[in-house]
Amino acid sequence: MILAMPLMGLTLPAASAYDPPASGEGSLDPMGLSAISDRLAEVLVPGLRARMRWVRFTTAMAVGAVATESLADEQPHDGVSTPAICFEWLLIEAFVRRIERGLPADVPGSQKTRTAINRGERLSRQTYLNSPRVFGFYGVYKPFAVDAGVLTQDLAPAERCVELVRAWEHDHGLTGFADEVPGTEGGAIRRRVHEEVRAALQKGSLTVATGAQLLGRLAATLRPDKAGRTEAAVLRRLLTDPRHEHRAELALLLADDDRIATEPQLLAAARKHASQELGRIIDAVVSYEELAVLVNAAFRLLCSVSYSLGGQPLTASHVADDETLDWCAREIPERFKRAADRVAEVTHDIDLEQRLGEFVYPRSPKDLAEFVLHHHEQVQAGKPGGKRSWFEPLRDGWVVRPPYGSPERPDLNYFVHPVRVHTLRSFIGATS
Protein backbone atom coordinates (compact mmCIF):
# COMPACT_ATOMS: atom_id res chain seq x y z
CA MET A 1 0.00 0.00 0.00
CA ILE A 2 1.34 3.48 -0.90
CA LEU A 3 0.56 6.30 1.50
CA ALA A 4 0.67 9.99 0.69
CA MET A 5 2.75 12.45 2.70
CA PRO A 6 2.91 16.25 2.18
CA LEU A 7 6.23 17.58 0.89
CA MET A 8 6.00 21.36 0.99
CA GLY A 9 3.57 21.50 -1.88
CA LEU A 10 4.73 18.25 -3.45
CA THR A 11 2.88 15.11 -2.44
CA LEU A 12 5.26 12.20 -2.81
CA PRO A 13 4.46 8.54 -2.21
CA ALA A 14 5.57 7.43 1.23
CA ALA A 15 7.92 4.47 1.23
CA SER A 16 6.78 1.16 2.56
CA ALA A 17 8.55 -0.51 5.47
CA TYR A 18 12.21 -1.42 5.00
CA ASP A 19 12.65 -4.56 2.96
CA PRO A 20 15.18 -7.07 4.25
CA PRO A 21 18.30 -7.56 2.13
CA ALA A 22 16.94 -10.87 0.84
CA SER A 23 14.39 -8.97 -1.23
CA GLY A 24 17.17 -7.65 -3.46
CA GLU A 25 17.89 -4.16 -4.69
CA GLY A 26 16.21 -4.03 -8.08
CA SER A 27 18.95 -1.79 -9.47
CA LEU A 28 18.04 -2.38 -13.11
CA ASP A 29 15.33 -0.56 -15.04
CA PRO A 30 13.97 1.65 -12.21
CA MET A 31 11.20 3.11 -14.39
CA GLY A 32 10.11 -0.09 -16.14
CA LEU A 33 11.09 1.09 -19.61
CA SER A 34 13.32 -1.69 -20.93
CA ALA A 35 10.75 -4.39 -21.76
CA ILE A 36 9.06 -2.33 -24.47
CA SER A 37 12.41 -1.20 -25.86
CA ASP A 38 13.59 -4.80 -26.11
CA ARG A 39 10.43 -5.90 -27.88
CA LEU A 40 10.76 -3.09 -30.40
CA ALA A 41 14.42 -3.97 -30.93
CA GLU A 42 13.30 -7.52 -31.72
CA VAL A 43 11.04 -6.12 -34.45
CA LEU A 44 13.89 -4.02 -35.87
CA VAL A 45 16.79 -6.48 -35.45
CA PRO A 46 15.40 -9.95 -34.69
CA GLY A 47 17.74 -12.67 -33.45
CA LEU A 48 20.53 -10.40 -32.22
CA ARG A 49 21.20 -8.98 -28.76
CA ALA A 50 22.86 -5.73 -27.74
CA ARG A 51 25.66 -7.52 -25.86
CA MET A 52 26.82 -9.39 -28.97
CA ARG A 53 29.95 -8.11 -30.71
CA TRP A 54 31.70 -10.82 -32.73
CA VAL A 55 29.71 -12.73 -35.36
CA ARG A 56 32.53 -15.28 -35.70
CA PHE A 57 31.50 -16.93 -32.45
CA THR A 58 28.67 -18.35 -34.56
CA THR A 59 31.32 -20.18 -36.56
CA ALA A 60 33.09 -21.35 -33.41
CA MET A 61 29.83 -22.75 -32.06
CA ALA A 62 29.19 -24.54 -35.36
CA VAL A 63 32.68 -26.09 -35.31
CA GLY A 64 32.20 -27.22 -31.72
CA ALA A 65 28.75 -28.64 -32.43
CA VAL A 66 30.01 -30.74 -35.33
CA ALA A 67 33.01 -32.07 -33.43
CA THR A 68 31.15 -32.95 -30.22
CA GLU A 69 27.72 -34.02 -31.49
CA SER A 70 28.25 -37.68 -30.52
CA LEU A 71 29.08 -36.69 -26.91
CA ALA A 72 25.56 -35.52 -26.10
CA ASP A 73 24.90 -38.53 -23.84
CA GLU A 74 28.31 -38.50 -22.14
CA GLN A 75 27.92 -38.15 -18.36
CA PRO A 76 30.05 -35.30 -16.99
CA HIS A 77 32.31 -35.88 -14.00
CA ASP A 78 31.12 -32.66 -12.33
CA GLY A 79 27.46 -33.45 -12.95
CA VAL A 80 26.68 -30.23 -14.82
CA SER A 81 29.11 -29.42 -17.62
CA THR A 82 28.10 -30.14 -21.20
CA PRO A 83 30.07 -30.79 -24.39
CA ALA A 84 29.39 -27.18 -25.41
CA ILE A 85 30.78 -25.80 -22.15
CA CYS A 86 33.86 -28.04 -22.35
CA PHE A 87 34.47 -26.92 -25.93
CA GLU A 88 34.17 -23.35 -24.70
CA TRP A 89 36.85 -24.05 -22.09
CA LEU A 90 39.07 -25.45 -24.83
CA LEU A 91 38.63 -22.53 -27.22
CA ILE A 92 38.86 -19.69 -24.70
CA GLU A 93 41.99 -21.22 -23.16
CA ALA A 94 43.42 -21.51 -26.67
CA PHE A 95 42.73 -17.82 -27.28
CA VAL A 96 44.27 -16.67 -24.01
CA ARG A 97 47.35 -18.92 -24.23
CA ARG A 98 48.10 -18.38 -27.91
CA ILE A 99 46.94 -14.84 -28.69
CA GLU A 100 49.10 -12.89 -26.29
CA ARG A 101 48.37 -9.54 -27.90
CA GLY A 102 45.40 -8.49 -29.93
CA LEU A 103 42.72 -10.63 -28.32
CA PRO A 104 39.66 -8.37 -27.97
CA ALA A 105 38.95 -7.49 -24.34
CA ASP A 106 35.25 -8.28 -24.70
CA VAL A 107 35.70 -11.99 -25.47
CA PRO A 108 33.39 -13.73 -22.98
CA GLY A 109 35.29 -15.59 -20.27
CA SER A 110 38.74 -14.36 -21.29
CA GLN A 111 39.47 -12.43 -18.10
CA LYS A 112 38.43 -15.34 -15.90
CA THR A 113 40.54 -17.67 -18.03
CA ARG A 114 43.60 -15.43 -17.77
CA THR A 115 43.22 -15.38 -14.00
CA ALA A 116 43.09 -19.19 -13.89
CA ILE A 117 46.16 -19.51 -16.13
CA ASN A 118 48.12 -17.03 -14.03
CA ARG A 119 47.36 -19.19 -10.99
CA GLY A 120 48.53 -22.32 -12.78
CA GLU A 121 44.99 -23.73 -12.94
CA ARG A 122 43.05 -25.35 -15.79
CA LEU A 123 39.56 -24.35 -16.79
CA SER A 124 36.81 -26.21 -14.98
CA ARG A 125 33.48 -25.55 -13.35
CA GLN A 126 35.35 -24.06 -10.37
CA THR A 127 37.73 -21.81 -12.31
CA TYR A 128 35.56 -20.65 -15.25
CA LEU A 129 32.47 -18.44 -15.27
CA ASN A 130 29.86 -19.12 -12.61
CA SER A 131 27.07 -19.04 -15.21
CA PRO A 132 28.62 -19.94 -18.57
CA ARG A 133 25.19 -20.68 -20.06
CA VAL A 134 24.45 -16.97 -19.61
CA PHE A 135 27.80 -15.17 -19.74
CA GLY A 136 29.96 -17.51 -21.82
CA PHE A 137 30.06 -17.16 -25.59
CA TYR A 138 27.45 -19.89 -26.04
CA GLY A 139 25.15 -17.97 -23.71
CA VAL A 140 25.76 -14.64 -25.44
CA TYR A 141 25.62 -15.77 -29.08
CA LYS A 142 23.14 -18.65 -28.95
CA PRO A 143 20.11 -16.51 -29.92
CA PHE A 144 21.64 -15.61 -33.29
CA ALA A 145 23.03 -19.10 -33.92
CA VAL A 146 19.58 -20.59 -33.34
CA ASP A 147 17.76 -17.88 -35.30
CA ALA A 148 20.16 -18.33 -38.22
CA GLY A 149 19.58 -22.10 -38.33
CA VAL A 150 23.16 -22.93 -37.35
CA LEU A 151 22.30 -24.59 -34.02
CA THR A 152 19.21 -26.09 -32.43
CA GLN A 153 18.01 -24.99 -29.02
CA ASP A 154 19.98 -27.94 -27.62
CA LEU A 155 23.14 -26.63 -29.34
CA ALA A 156 23.21 -29.51 -31.84
CA PRO A 157 23.99 -28.84 -35.52
CA ALA A 158 21.01 -27.39 -37.42
CA GLU A 159 20.39 -27.07 -41.16
CA ARG A 160 22.92 -24.26 -41.84
CA CYS A 161 25.67 -25.60 -39.58
CA VAL A 162 27.63 -27.73 -42.03
CA GLU A 163 27.52 -25.00 -44.69
CA LEU A 164 29.24 -22.64 -42.29
CA VAL A 165 31.77 -25.24 -41.11
CA ARG A 166 32.70 -26.15 -44.70
CA ALA A 167 33.28 -22.48 -45.49
CA TRP A 168 35.56 -22.21 -42.45
CA GLU A 169 37.52 -25.36 -43.29
CA HIS A 170 37.94 -24.18 -46.87
CA ASP A 171 39.47 -20.86 -45.78
CA HIS A 172 41.97 -22.52 -43.45
CA GLY A 173 42.96 -25.60 -45.42
CA LEU A 174 41.10 -27.92 -43.07
CA THR A 175 39.07 -29.84 -45.62
CA GLY A 176 37.70 -33.02 -44.10
CA PHE A 177 36.69 -31.53 -40.75
CA ALA A 178 32.94 -31.42 -41.41
CA ASP A 179 32.86 -35.01 -42.69
CA GLU A 180 35.69 -36.36 -40.52
CA VAL A 181 37.54 -37.65 -43.56
CA PRO A 182 40.41 -40.00 -42.59
CA GLY A 183 43.87 -38.93 -43.63
CA THR A 184 43.02 -35.19 -43.76
CA GLU A 185 44.25 -32.45 -41.43
CA GLY A 186 40.67 -31.31 -40.94
CA GLY A 187 39.57 -34.79 -39.95
CA ALA A 188 42.50 -35.11 -37.55
CA ILE A 189 41.71 -31.80 -35.83
CA ARG A 190 38.06 -32.77 -35.49
CA ARG A 191 39.06 -36.00 -33.77
CA ARG A 192 41.44 -34.12 -31.44
CA VAL A 193 38.72 -31.67 -30.47
CA HIS A 194 36.34 -34.57 -29.83
CA GLU A 195 38.93 -36.36 -27.68
CA GLU A 196 39.82 -33.30 -25.62
CA VAL A 197 36.19 -32.40 -24.97
CA ARG A 198 35.42 -35.98 -23.94
CA ALA A 199 38.44 -35.96 -21.61
CA ALA A 200 37.28 -32.67 -20.06
CA LEU A 201 33.82 -34.13 -19.49
CA GLN A 202 35.28 -37.22 -17.86
CA LYS A 203 37.69 -35.36 -15.58
CA GLY A 204 35.72 -32.17 -14.96
CA SER A 205 38.48 -29.90 -16.27
CA LEU A 206 40.66 -29.39 -19.32
CA THR A 207 43.46 -31.90 -19.71
CA VAL A 208 44.92 -30.83 -23.08
CA ALA A 209 48.65 -30.14 -22.86
CA THR A 210 49.29 -26.43 -22.53
CA GLY A 211 51.83 -26.64 -25.35
CA ALA A 212 49.58 -28.68 -27.66
CA GLN A 213 49.53 -27.73 -31.33
CA LEU A 214 45.74 -28.02 -31.23
CA LEU A 215 45.47 -24.87 -29.11
CA GLY A 216 47.44 -22.90 -31.67
CA ARG A 217 45.35 -24.17 -34.57
CA LEU A 218 42.07 -23.34 -32.84
CA ALA A 219 43.27 -19.88 -31.84
CA ALA A 220 44.55 -19.08 -35.32
CA THR A 221 41.50 -20.32 -37.22
CA LEU A 222 38.70 -19.22 -34.89
CA ARG A 223 39.91 -15.94 -33.36
CA PRO A 224 36.83 -13.72 -33.22
CA ASP A 225 38.12 -10.82 -35.31
CA LYS A 226 39.45 -12.54 -38.46
CA ALA A 227 36.97 -14.33 -40.72
CA GLY A 228 38.14 -15.78 -44.02
CA ARG A 229 36.49 -14.77 -47.28
CA THR A 230 34.34 -17.86 -47.78
CA GLU A 231 33.19 -17.93 -44.17
CA ALA A 232 32.43 -14.19 -44.23
CA ALA A 233 30.21 -14.69 -47.27
CA VAL A 234 28.20 -17.37 -45.48
CA LEU A 235 27.88 -15.22 -42.35
CA ARG A 236 26.63 -12.33 -44.49
CA ARG A 237 24.00 -14.57 -46.05
CA LEU A 238 22.86 -15.58 -42.58
CA LEU A 239 22.59 -11.93 -41.52
CA THR A 240 20.72 -10.89 -44.64
CA ASP A 241 18.40 -13.89 -44.72
CA PRO A 242 15.16 -12.85 -46.49
CA ARG A 243 13.17 -14.35 -43.60
CA HIS A 244 14.11 -11.11 -41.81
CA GLU A 245 13.80 -8.71 -44.71
CA HIS A 246 13.89 -5.53 -42.61
CA ARG A 247 16.94 -6.67 -40.66
CA ALA A 248 18.61 -7.51 -43.96
CA GLU A 249 17.78 -4.10 -45.41
CA LEU A 250 19.04 -2.28 -42.35
CA ALA A 251 22.23 -4.38 -42.28
CA LEU A 252 23.10 -3.37 -45.84
CA LEU A 253 22.39 0.29 -45.07
CA LEU A 254 24.65 0.12 -42.03
CA ALA A 255 27.40 -1.63 -43.98
CA ASP A 256 27.97 1.58 -45.93
CA ASP A 257 28.16 3.77 -42.79
CA ASP A 258 31.56 3.42 -41.12
CA ARG A 259 31.38 6.59 -38.98
CA ILE A 260 31.87 6.62 -35.25
CA ALA A 261 28.25 7.34 -34.42
CA THR A 262 25.56 6.77 -31.84
CA GLU A 263 22.61 4.52 -32.52
CA PRO A 264 20.27 7.54 -32.95
CA GLN A 265 22.66 8.95 -35.55
CA LEU A 266 22.92 5.64 -37.39
CA LEU A 267 19.16 5.21 -37.49
CA ALA A 268 18.63 8.79 -38.65
CA ALA A 269 20.99 8.18 -41.57
CA ALA A 270 19.42 4.81 -42.42
CA ARG A 271 15.91 6.30 -42.26
CA LYS A 272 16.66 8.55 -45.25
CA HIS A 273 17.15 5.54 -47.52
CA ALA A 274 14.86 2.99 -45.88
CA SER A 275 11.85 1.35 -47.46
CA GLN A 276 8.45 2.45 -46.25
CA GLU A 277 8.03 -0.50 -43.90
CA LEU A 278 11.53 -0.32 -42.43
CA GLY A 279 11.00 3.42 -42.03
CA ARG A 280 7.90 2.78 -39.93
CA ILE A 281 9.82 0.39 -37.69
CA ILE A 282 12.66 2.88 -37.24
CA ASP A 283 10.12 5.59 -36.41
CA ALA A 284 8.53 3.37 -33.76
CA VAL A 285 11.89 2.59 -32.15
CA VAL A 286 13.06 6.20 -32.21
CA SER A 287 9.78 7.68 -30.95
CA TYR A 288 9.68 5.25 -28.03
CA GLU A 289 13.29 6.00 -27.08
CA GLU A 290 12.54 9.73 -27.31
CA LEU A 291 9.77 9.19 -24.78
CA ALA A 292 11.92 6.93 -22.60
CA VAL A 293 14.78 9.41 -22.46
CA LEU A 294 12.54 12.05 -20.87
CA VAL A 295 10.85 9.67 -18.43
CA ASN A 296 14.26 8.40 -17.42
CA ALA A 297 15.66 11.95 -17.23
CA ALA A 298 12.92 13.09 -14.85
CA PHE A 299 13.76 10.23 -12.49
CA ARG A 300 17.53 10.58 -12.79
CA LEU A 301 17.22 14.29 -12.17
CA LEU A 302 15.61 13.60 -8.80
CA CYS A 303 18.46 11.21 -8.00
CA SER A 304 21.00 13.87 -8.94
CA VAL A 305 19.35 16.71 -7.02
CA SER A 306 18.92 14.53 -3.94
CA TYR A 307 22.58 13.50 -4.14
CA SER A 308 23.69 17.13 -4.38
CA LEU A 309 21.91 17.91 -1.13
CA GLY A 310 24.38 15.78 0.82
CA GLY A 311 21.85 13.80 2.82
CA GLN A 312 19.35 16.60 3.31
CA PRO A 313 15.81 15.79 2.25
CA LEU A 314 14.67 16.56 -1.28
CA THR A 315 11.70 18.96 -1.25
CA ALA A 316 9.55 20.71 -3.84
CA SER A 317 11.65 23.86 -3.73
CA HIS A 318 14.61 21.95 -5.12
CA VAL A 319 12.89 20.85 -8.35
CA ALA A 320 10.01 23.26 -8.98
CA ASP A 321 12.04 25.58 -11.22
CA ASP A 322 14.44 23.08 -12.73
CA GLU A 323 14.70 23.61 -16.49
CA THR A 324 15.17 19.93 -17.29
CA LEU A 325 12.16 18.86 -15.25
CA ASP A 326 10.10 21.66 -16.80
CA TRP A 327 11.12 20.44 -20.26
CA CYS A 328 10.15 16.89 -19.37
CA ALA A 329 6.78 18.01 -18.00
CA ARG A 330 5.98 19.89 -21.22
CA GLU A 331 7.23 17.27 -23.67
CA ILE A 332 6.33 13.88 -22.18
CA PRO A 333 2.57 13.91 -22.99
CA GLU A 334 3.16 14.67 -26.67
CA ARG A 335 5.99 12.20 -26.93
CA PHE A 336 3.80 9.53 -25.40
CA LYS A 337 1.06 10.15 -27.98
CA ARG A 338 3.54 10.07 -30.84
CA ALA A 339 5.20 6.89 -29.57
CA ALA A 340 1.85 5.17 -29.08
CA ASP A 341 0.80 6.00 -32.65
CA ARG A 342 4.10 4.91 -34.20
CA VAL A 343 4.29 1.67 -32.24
CA ALA A 344 0.69 0.79 -33.18
CA GLU A 345 1.62 1.14 -36.85
CA VAL A 346 4.14 -1.72 -36.67
CA THR A 347 2.82 -4.08 -33.98
CA HIS A 348 -0.25 -4.66 -31.86
CA ASP A 349 1.64 -6.87 -29.42
CA ILE A 350 2.99 -3.96 -27.38
CA ASP A 351 0.54 -2.20 -25.11
CA LEU A 352 2.21 1.11 -24.41
CA GLU A 353 -0.87 2.48 -22.72
CA GLN A 354 -1.06 -0.33 -20.18
CA ARG A 355 2.57 0.10 -19.08
CA LEU A 356 3.07 3.86 -19.38
CA GLY A 357 -0.36 5.30 -20.15
CA GLU A 358 -0.41 7.63 -17.14
CA PHE A 359 2.36 9.69 -18.70
CA VAL A 360 -0.06 11.01 -21.33
CA TYR A 361 -1.60 13.44 -18.84
CA PRO A 362 -0.17 16.98 -18.64
CA ARG A 363 1.49 17.76 -15.30
CA SER A 364 3.37 20.60 -13.69
CA PRO A 365 7.01 19.90 -12.81
CA LYS A 366 5.97 19.33 -9.20
CA ASP A 367 3.22 16.92 -10.17
CA LEU A 368 5.54 15.12 -12.57
CA ALA A 369 8.09 14.60 -9.80
CA GLU A 370 5.36 13.17 -7.60
CA PHE A 371 4.15 10.83 -10.29
CA VAL A 372 7.67 9.74 -11.30
CA LEU A 373 8.45 8.61 -7.76
CA HIS A 374 5.06 6.93 -7.46
CA HIS A 375 5.61 5.10 -10.76
CA HIS A 376 9.11 4.07 -9.66
CA GLU A 377 7.77 2.53 -6.46
CA GLN A 378 5.14 0.60 -8.40
CA VAL A 379 7.79 -0.70 -10.82
CA GLN A 380 10.06 -1.80 -7.99
CA ALA A 381 7.23 -3.45 -6.06
CA GLY A 382 6.15 -5.34 -9.17
CA LYS A 383 9.53 -6.96 -9.75
CA PRO A 384 9.96 -10.61 -8.68
CA GLY A 385 10.14 -10.72 -4.90
CA GLY A 386 9.43 -7.00 -4.62
CA LYS A 387 12.33 -4.54 -4.68
CA ARG A 388 13.11 -1.46 -2.61
CA SER A 389 12.64 2.07 -3.84
CA TRP A 390 15.79 3.98 -4.60
CA PHE A 391 14.52 6.69 -2.25
CA GLU A 392 13.92 6.71 1.50
CA PRO A 393 11.65 9.16 3.37
CA LEU A 394 13.50 11.65 5.58
CA ARG A 395 11.69 14.26 7.70
CA ASP A 396 9.67 16.41 5.29
CA GLY A 397 11.11 14.91 2.12
CA TRP A 398 13.08 12.13 0.51
CA VAL A 399 16.71 11.16 0.11
CA VAL A 400 18.22 8.96 -2.58
CA ARG A 401 19.89 5.86 -1.19
CA PRO A 402 23.72 5.80 -1.48
CA PRO A 403 24.10 3.30 -4.32
CA TYR A 404 21.89 5.36 -6.62
CA GLY A 405 22.83 9.00 -6.12
CA SER A 406 25.01 10.66 -8.73
CA PRO A 407 26.31 14.18 -9.32
CA GLU A 408 25.68 13.79 -13.04
CA ARG A 409 22.55 15.30 -14.48
CA PRO A 410 20.72 13.26 -17.12
CA ASP A 411 21.91 13.39 -20.72
CA LEU A 412 19.09 13.85 -23.23
CA ASN A 413 21.19 13.15 -26.34
CA TYR A 414 21.31 9.35 -26.24
CA PHE A 415 18.85 6.50 -26.22
CA VAL A 416 18.20 5.02 -22.79
CA HIS A 417 18.47 1.49 -24.19
CA PRO A 418 20.70 -0.13 -26.81
CA VAL A 419 18.52 -1.14 -29.74
CA ARG A 420 20.95 -3.64 -31.36
CA VAL A 421 22.00 -1.32 -34.19
CA HIS A 422 25.64 -1.29 -33.10
CA THR A 423 25.55 -5.09 -32.90
CA LEU A 424 24.13 -5.38 -36.41
CA ARG A 425 26.70 -2.96 -37.82
CA SER A 426 29.52 -4.84 -36.08
CA PHE A 427 28.28 -8.15 -37.47
CA ILE A 428 27.80 -6.95 -41.03
CA GLY A 429 31.12 -5.09 -40.94
CA ALA A 430 32.93 -8.32 -40.07
CA THR A 431 31.60 -9.91 -43.27
CA SER A 432 32.91 -7.26 -45.66
Side-chain angles (χ1 to χ4, degrees):
M1 179 178 181
I2 297 178
L3 306 175
M5 61 179 292
L7 182 58
M8 295 179 60
L10 175 58
T11 304
L12 295 176
S16 57
Y18 174 81
D19 289 334
S23 68
E25 287 294 331
S27 60
L28 301 177
D29 195 23
M31 294 299 288
L33 300 170
S34 64
I36 292 175
S37 177
D38 196 56
R39 292 174 69 182
L40 285 170
E42 183 66 17
V43 177
L44 179 67
V45 188
L48 275 65
R49 299 293 183 270
R51 61 179 181 153
M52 296 177 180
R53 175 70 176 85
W54 304 103
V55 69
R56 279 210 85 200
F57 276 112
T58 312
T59 304
M61 295 162 72
V63 168
V66 166
T68 65
E69 184 178 13
S70 64
L71 297 174
D73 296 326
E74 189 85 19
Q75 294 301 308
H77 179 270
D78 60 19
V80 295
S81 295
T82 64
I85 289 175
C86 292
F87 176 73
E88 182 164 327
W89 295 346
L90 180 64
L91 184 60
I92 297 299
E93 186 161 321
F95 286 162
V96 174
R97 288 188 182 277
R98 294 295 187 267
I99 307 175
E100 295 182 3
R101 297 181 180 179
L103 180 65
D106 52 1
V107 169
S110 59
Q111 294 183 11
K112 193 88 173 189
T113 300
R114 187 167 285 109
T115 298
I117 290 174
N118 290 340
R119 291 175 176 172
E121 299 171 335
R122 305 307 301 273
L123 289 189
S124 66
R125 180 187 177 190
Q126 288 73 33
T127 60
Y128 194 53
L129 299 168
N130 289 331
S131 301
R133 289 179 176 86
V134 177
F135 301 111
F137 71 74
Y138 274 93
V140 173
Y141 292 92
K142 177 182 175 180
F144 177 67
V146 172
D147 176 82
V150 173
L151 298 183
T152 67
Q153 286 289 349
D154 296 328
L155 303 179
E159 63 272 13
R160 305 293 295 272
C161 185
V162 171
E163 174 190 3
L164 182 55
V165 172
R166 286 196 173 125
W168 167 78
E169 69 177 22
H170 175 271
D171 287 335
H172 297 283
L174 297 176
T175 302
F177 185 98
D179 299 313
E180 199 174 4
V181 178
T184 64
E185 185 178 2
I189 288 181
R190 172 172 168 165
R191 286 189 294 276
R192 282 294 314 279
V193 170
H194 180 277
E195 291 166 1
E196 294 299 345
V197 169
R198 182 173 59 186
L201 283 167
Q202 292 174 346
K203 186 174 180 181
S205 69
L206 278 185
T207 62
V208 61
T210 58
Q213 184 181 14
L214 176 65
L215 296 181
R217 291 296 276 155
L218 290 176
T221 62
L222 287 172
R223 60 178 296 159
D225 54 348
K226 292 187 178 180
R229 181 176 299 180
T230 311
E231 176 194 341
V234 174
L235 290 170
R236 177 168 282 229
R237 288 199 295 273
L238 296 178
L239 282 167
T240 57
D241 191 310
R243 292 183 304 113
H244 297 311
E245 59 178 316
H246 306 309
R247 184 184 79 186
E249 180 186 352
L250 180 59
L252 295 177
L253 290 172
L254 292 173
D256 296 328
D257 191 342
D258 59 358
R259 300 173 297 152
I260 298 175
T262 64
E263 290 194 318
Q265 290 169 335
L266 291 171
L267 284 178
R271 179 67 179 86
K272 298 175 183 178
H273 307 285
S275 65
Q276 185 177 47
E277 186 58 32
L278 176 59
R280 288 196 187 101
I281 297 171
I282 292 174
D283 290 344
V285 170
V286 170
S287 63
Y288 177 73
E289 289 301 322
E290 289 177 343
L291 167 65
V293 74
L294 292 191
V295 173
N296 181 69
F299 178 72
R300 300 288 177 172
L301 175 69
L302 298 180
C303 295
S304 176
V305 172
S306 179
Y307 177 86
S308 71
L309 296 176
Q312 295 301 309
L314 171 70
T315 66
S317 60
H318 299 118
V319 296
D321 299 322
D322 188 275
E323 292 183 359
T324 298
L325 192 62
D326 180 67
W327 171 253
C328 292
R330 288 186 285 111
E331 286 291 314
I332 283 176
E334 287 304 314
R335 291 199 183 187
F336 176 87
K337 293 174 186 176
R338 183 165 63 248
D341 289 342
R342 299 284 171 81
V343 170
E345 289 179 1
V346 299
T347 178
H348 297 293
D349 295 332
I350 298 175
D351 193 344
L352 198 62
E353 184 172 350
Q354 181 179 1
R355 287 181 175 268
L356 300 171
E358 291 292 321
F359 283 100
V360 75
Y361 298 113
R363 292 180 174 87
S364 67
K366 293 180 181 180
D367 290 340
L368 178 61
E370 172 186 351
F371 178 69
V372 162
L373 288 177
H374 170 73
H375 180 80
H376 165 65
E377 283 212 341
Q378 287 187 317
V379 168
Q380 293 294 92
K383 292 177 179 177
K387 307 302 178 184
R388 295 176 63 188
S389 169
W390 288 18
F391 286 82
E392 298 279 14
L394 179 65
R395 297 195 298 275
D396 59 344
W398 285 71
V399 62
V400 67
R401 293 169 52 221
Y404 308 115
S406 170
E408 297 182 2
R409 292 175 65 87
D411 191 333
L412 305 181
N413 296 315
Y414 298 91
F415 288 169
V416 178
H417 314 97
V419 295
R420 310 181 188 179
V421 172
H422 278 150
T423 296
L424 183 59
R425 187 170 72 157
S426 175
F427 274 27
I428 199 69
T431 68
S432 299

